[in-house]
Amino acid sequence: MTTAIRIVIRRMAAVDLAEVEAIDQASFPLPWPPGSYRYELDDNPRARCWVAEIDGQVAGALVGWLILDEYQVATFAVRAEARRRGVGRALLGQAITAAEAEGAERFTLEVRAGNTAAQALYRGFGFTITGISPARYADGEDAILMERRN
């Protein structure tokens, strides 16, 4: 029997930055530089920063940029122990819904070619592959470019 969890999606706040940065460090071979999330939160008027909480603990984070009618997912990660529990789906769903309410009609992102779980999540939201960026990452892995249009 699976126990249901309560996921709360809300805007990122300064108090979340340490947990968000820890998730980023644990999730990516090349995490964002120190201070990047603070910049997005405090100084980038185009940034839309979200967190997912389970039991008061940050379980995931997403930063996107709204530019005119396009929303670009800049970074998106879920804490390892919270993966495959609906956290990513809830977080991405809220970010898309909020961006649509602000006029977004096109959504873009890039994902590592080997991250098939993330690609499946994105396809579930209507994203399709629009291209490949060869050797996009420092380790030589390709990036898959994906897009969704309303």
Side-chain angles (χ1 to χ4, degrees):
M1 183 166 107
T2 304
T3 304
I5 60 170
R6 183 169 178 264
I7 302 165
V8 175
I9 308 298
R10 61 174 175 75
R11 296 279 184 173
M12 188 184 296
V15 69
D16 302 317
L17 291 175
E19 284 185 278
V20 168
E21 289 175 351
I23 292 168
D24 188 66
Q25 292 281 328
S27 298
F28 300 114
L30 186 60
W32 275 16
S36 296
Y37 285 97
R38 165 99 34 212
Y39 169 78
E40 297 297 336
L41 190 60
D42 293 342
D43 298 321
N44 184 353
R46 303 208 186 294
R48 304 299 184 266
C49 306
W50 298 95
V51 294
E53 278 187 348
I54 299 174
D55 298 329
Q57 180 183 20
V58 175
L62 185 150
V63 174
W65 300 315
L66 183 62
I67 303 168
L68 300 175
D69 66 346
E70 180 181 335
Y71 184 82
Q72 180 180 358
V73 177
T75 189
F76 177 26
V78 174
R79 191 179 299 277
E81 61 271 18
R83 292 179 188 151
R84 301 195 184 278
R85 298 179 70 194
V87 174
R89 180 171 306 286
L91 194 52
L92 183 60
Q94 176 59 39
I96 288 172
T97 298
E100 286 174 333
E102 290 190 79
E105 296 178 5
R106 180 175 178 238
F107 299 81
T108 61
L109 58 83
E110 67 178 47
V111 59
R112 284 180 171 268
N115 191 345
T116 56
Q119 291 171 43
L121 173 67
Y122 301 140
R123 280 193 306 276
F125 278 91
F127 283 83
T128 59
I129 295 173
T130 57
I132 297 174
S133 180
R136 167 72 171 89
Y137 300 101
D139 60 6
E141 187 172 3
D142 295 346
I144 303 295
L145 310 177
M146 299 185 81
E147 180 179 310
R148 169 194 161 156
R149 289 185 182 267
N150 287 355

